[in-house]
Amino acid sequence: MSSPRARPALRLGLMAILALPLAACLQPLYGPTASGVPLRETLAAIEVAPVAVGPNEQALSHYLRSELVFDLDGSGQPRPKQYRLTVAVRTSLQSPIVDTTFGRSNASTLLGTAEYTLTPLAGGAPLAVGEVIGSASFERSPQRFAVVRAQRDAEIRLAKLLSEQIRNRLALTLRARP
């Protein structure tokens, strides 16, 4: 019979042997795509169209488009484009905490839903269609200008969050595309 101290080492060794066949199944996300082109170059070939938003949300449109352009091709070098990304965003504002004395909200949450479509510039069926969701909270103080700045910061954080999610989903889609 084995000693109690040898059992954890035996279990660890058994787990390593069982996990060895799975090691060949893992591939890095940012390696070459199925076509052999590096994923960074494939993502840089995406042209980002102006983001469609509702009325009074032009700032969020600007922030999201800027984040997408940077996340997909942060080099700043002009490159030939093969794909077009269109994004439409819907937002809503929730105030879960309300001060009962004054009837004002103390905090708000900016919720955003972005629907995106990736199509080839040459035409054809969409390569990727999806929806991502994000939220950013901010404090609502009695100072009006502080609330305006806090809401703008929440829009910037929401844009970064949505952009990162869209980039990751596009990377997964384009990674497997021949």
Side-chain angles (χ1 to χ4, degrees):
M1 197 173 222
S2 63
S3 70
R5 290 186 179 181
R7 287 184 187 155
L10 183 64
R11 286 183 185 162
L12 185 61
L14 183 60
M15 286 184 0
I17 290 172
L18 291 175
L20 191 59
L22 294 176
C25 297
L26 302 175
Q27 295 179 358
L29 176 62
Y30 288 99
T33 60
S35 64
V37 178
L39 186 60
R40 180 167 296 287
E41 289 181 20
T42 305
L43 290 175
I46 297 175
E47 173 186 289
V48 181
V51 176
V53 293
N56 300 324
E57 295 178 345
Q58 288 80 18
L60 179 63
S61 170
H62 168 73
Y63 298 140
L64 181 56
R65 185 175 186 286
S66 295
E67 288 296 328
L68 283 168
V69 168
F70 181 76
D71 283 346
L72 297 173
D73 182 19
S75 69
Q77 303 293 331
R79 297 184 188 195
K81 305 297 182 184
Q82 298 176 355
Y83 310 102
R84 182 176 184 90
L85 178 66
T86 56
V87 181
V89 179
R90 295 184 318 271
T91 61
S92 63
L93 194 62
Q94 292 184 348
S95 298
I97 301 173
V98 177
D99 183 4
T100 56
T101 307
F102 299 107
R104 298 178 56 159
S105 62
N106 292 336
S108 292
T109 302
L110 181 64
L111 304 171
T113 303
E115 297 174 356
Y116 64 92
T117 305
L118 181 70
T119 55
L121 282 177
L127 302 174
V129 176
E131 179 179 277
V132 295
I133 299 171
S135 66
S137 298
F138 62 97
E139 183 180 353
R140 298 180 66 103
S141 71
Q143 298 174 353
R144 183 175 57 168
F145 295 113
V147 173
V148 170
R149 182 61 205 188
Q151 186 168 358
R152 184 180 312 153
D153 288 344
E155 288 176 347
I156 293 169
R157 288 193 318 270
L158 179 63
K160 287 181 180 185
L161 179 67
L162 294 175
S163 173
E164 185 177 294
Q165 289 181 27
I166 291 172
R167 182 203 61 217
N168 290 343
R169 291 193 183 184
L170 292 177
L172 288 172
T173 301
L174 294 174
R175 173 89 171 90
R177 188 171 182 274

